[in-house]
Amino acid sequence: MGISRRVAIGAGAAVASLAVARPASAAAPATGPDAIRHCYERQKTKAGGHWHSHVAAVDATGALQTVIEDDIDFVISGASVQKLFVAMTVLDKVDRGELSLGQKLDLPGSIILGGSGIYHLHGVWGDDITIANFLTAMLLVSDNTAVRMCGRVVPALEINQILAAKGFTYTRVEPVANPNRFFLGVTTPRETHDLLWRLANKTLLSPASCDFLLRITRWINGYHDGIRRNMSSAERSRIAIKYGADGDRRHEVGIMFGADGAPALTFAFFAGGLSDVNNYGATQPAVQAHSVLGRMLFDSIATATVPAATARQTVTPFHAVDGG
């Protein structure tokens, strides 16, 4: 599908741009493709569970090369990672003029969900909020009520129709009796990578809608327990991120941008069958693994610049939603 089906598949694909310029020293950490793959295998073994992952990086010629390819067509419950796909369907209707980001909907108490997010914390409801408002809440703090708000403007069956039209074969939400509600459904690492790469290069939606998604997912008040944990605020701002967790699943996906602002790397880490299932914090083993991998991946592209033809970017807790 999409660009990912045209990239190099072999696990040994060379990624010349991944090597960060460092003084020659025996103590200098390795950050090339082989080192990344070895780190991934170590962290995967340490965390346990069943991992399904895709990492790709732009090489010195501007081509996207696979770095990690681990069971990338496995269909898995996406948990809150699916909220990226749901947001895309809303923005697709914005691009077609059927909705606007400034359009307002009421926020009744009857629609409020607990779990991750902010709206359930208000205690009183009745506000009129814009589509931009609840999309921001859904992506930045993974608000569950915001998913229900999305369903009011894009019903479940229409979400799946848009996903199919965008070229996603397996990624779907799960409809329920109420046409405006749904379970978040399933995806694959390959299709998530495709979404990320098309978003990074502003071909997934209009440039304005892509910028809207990137502005939110790159914001430094977002999720920090995993990939972005051991980073400065400036470093965090160069990573678009979405996290998802439910039960024994811990996922994290995103885009890293080079020093020149161009998209340099995508990552999609999905893991299920994990232990410590009630721990949604930074000490959960898979989340700790993400933090190690995030630091290594960022170091691999921290000083990278890519050819001018590559698109530039100027965009300066965690339970799945029920279908009730």
Side-chain angles (χ1 to χ4, degrees):
M1 285 184 52
I3 294 174
S4 75
R5 293 196 186 279
R6 299 194 291 271
V7 302
I9 299 298
V15 187
S17 67
L18 287 177
V20 177
R22 296 178 182 272
S25 167
T31 57
D34 287 340
I36 290 171
R37 285 189 285 270
H38 291 156
C39 178
Y40 170 74
E41 292 298 332
R42 287 194 304 271
Q43 294 303 317
K44 170 181 162 182
T45 300
K46 184 176 180 180
H50 310 291
W51 287 59
H52 319 277
S53 304
H54 188 289
V55 175
V58 177
D59 69 14
T61 71
L64 193 66
Q65 302 286 357
T66 299
V67 180
I68 294 171
E69 184 182 63
D70 185 1
D71 201 12
I72 63 173
D73 291 314
F74 185 84
V75 178
I76 190 169
S77 170
S80 288
V81 165
Q82 297 291 96
K83 293 170 183 175
L84 273 174
F85 289 96
V86 173
M88 179 201 70
T89 66
V90 176
L91 289 168
D92 181 73
K93 292 189 70 170
V94 170
D95 286 346
R96 289 185 278 119
E98 297 179 24
L99 298 171
S100 71
L101 286 175
Q103 182 175 332
K104 291 184 178 181
L105 284 75
D106 64 320
L107 182 65
S110 60
I111 206 172
I112 299 299
L113 275 175
S116 60
I118 55 173
Y119 294 133
H120 70 282
L121 299 173
H122 291 187
V124 294
W125 300 279
D127 293 342
D128 287 338
I129 61 174
T130 63
I131 289 176
N133 182 312
F134 62 74
L135 286 180
T136 300
M138 185 173 71
L139 295 173
L140 190 66
V141 294
S142 207
D143 194 285
N144 287 335
T145 299
V147 177
R148 285 186 167 180
M149 296 293 282
C150 289
R152 293 172 66 186
V153 295
V154 192
L157 292 180
E158 187 178 6
I159 288 175
N160 285 340
Q161 290 169 352
I162 294 172
L163 289 169
K166 288 287 186 182
F168 299 105
T169 301
Y170 301 106
T171 303
R172 296 289 185 270
V173 299
E174 181 183 343
V176 296
N178 184 331
N180 298 107
R181 296 190 184 172
F182 48 87
F183 290 104
L184 284 170
V186 297
T187 189
T188 70
R190 186 194 296 274
E191 292 196 348
T192 302
H193 156 76
D194 286 349
L195 176 140
L196 294 168
W197 187 240
R198 290 158 65 185
L199 173 61
N201 287 282
K202 302 185 182 181
T203 59
L204 180 70
L205 297 159
S206 70
S209 288
C210 288
D211 281 342
F212 177 80
L213 286 177
L214 290 169
R215 184 166 64 246
I216 297 167
T217 54
R218 290 179 66 173
W219 190 237
I220 59 173
N221 293 127
Y223 181 72
H224 294 152
D225 282 350
I227 293 290
R228 300 201 295 184
R229 185 191 308 183
N230 299 316
M231 296 183 186
S232 68
S233 56
E235 291 171 331
R236 288 171 175 172
S237 70
R238 285 171 51 184
I239 304 174
I241 202 88
K242 187 69 190 78
Y243 179 65
D246 186 44
D248 68 349
R249 296 179 292 278
R250 299 292 184 276
H251 312 324
E252 199 162 356
V253 308
I255 309 158
M256 293 187 177
F257 295 85
D260 59 353
L265 182 147
T266 65
F267 59 91
F269 296 117
F270 292 85
L274 298 166
S275 61
D276 203 10
V277 298
N278 294 318
N279 181 1
Y280 289 90
T283 59
Q284 207 285 334
V287 177
Q288 289 182 315
H290 292 163
S291 70
V292 175
L293 288 163
R295 185 69 253 177
M296 172 166 270
L297 291 176
F298 189 83
D299 286 345
S300 75
I301 60 93
T303 60
T305 57
V306 298
T310 302
R312 265 43 178 179
Q313 305 298 325
T314 57
V315 182
T316 342
F318 312 98
H319 294 284
V321 172
D322 67 40

